[in-house]
Amino acid sequence: MPWFVWLLAAAALGVAEFFTLTLVFGLLAGAALVAAVVAGVGIGLLGQLVALAVAAAAGLLVVRPIALRQMEQSPLTHEGSDALIGKRAEVMQEVTATRGLIKISGEEWSARTLDESHVIPVGALVDVMEIDGATAVVYPRELLP
């Protein structure tokens, strides 16, 4: 089979992968590219089919499970307000269970205490335990274990 037919097959499989996002068609497209290279070198149809089968098997049995496992893991970096969790902040206005103001990384945030019985005075250092909408839920640093 001519090499350009394998390239057309690879392109069609690539388009199918774009719409399905299953990693199957993309790996088959890669196998078709391997077959195109083998055809371009001048090896016959049997060699092309063997190259296609070996590349497809390697992709589907080795690469795909590894890729799926990597995609299931949560990212190591946090973005947006999630990046503020665990940061240290300074109290700008007294923080109670219902209101308060803190400064995190140079930005002022509304805040409330994690424990409703705490009242955190101005100037105290707190840790951001979670973000609830536009409010940081904080806990005093001196009370941390």
Side-chain angles (χ1 to χ4, degrees), residues 9-26 28-29:
L13 289 166
V15 169
E17 177 63 34
F18 179 77
F19 288 110
T20 62
L21 299 176
T22 60
L23 297 178
V24 173
F25 292 116
L28 292 176

Side-chain angles (χ1 to χ4, degrees), residues 36-116:
V37 169
V38 170
V41 171
I43 297 177
L45 181 61
L46 182 59
Q48 296 170 25
L49 292 175
V50 168
L52 176 74
V54 169
L60 295 175
L61 298 176
V62 177
V63 176
R64 187 171 187 263
I66 294 170
L68 290 176
R69 205 170 25 249
Q70 290 296 319
M71 288 172 44
E72 289 175 1
Q73 294 178 355
S74 62
L76 297 176
T77 58
H78 297 285
E79 299 175 346
S81 61
D82 287 341
L84 299 175
I85 296 173
K87 295 257 185 181
R88 184 175 63 178
E90 181 182 352
V91 176
M92 306 302 288
Q93 283 181 353
E94 183 178 76
V95 179
T96 65
T98 57
R99 64 177 178 79
L101 189 66
I102 60 171
K103 187 174 235 177
I104 313 169
S105 301
E107 297 180 344
E108 290 186 355
W109 276 72
S110 60
R112 65 177 172 84
T113 60
L114 181 64
D115 186 350
E116 294 181 4

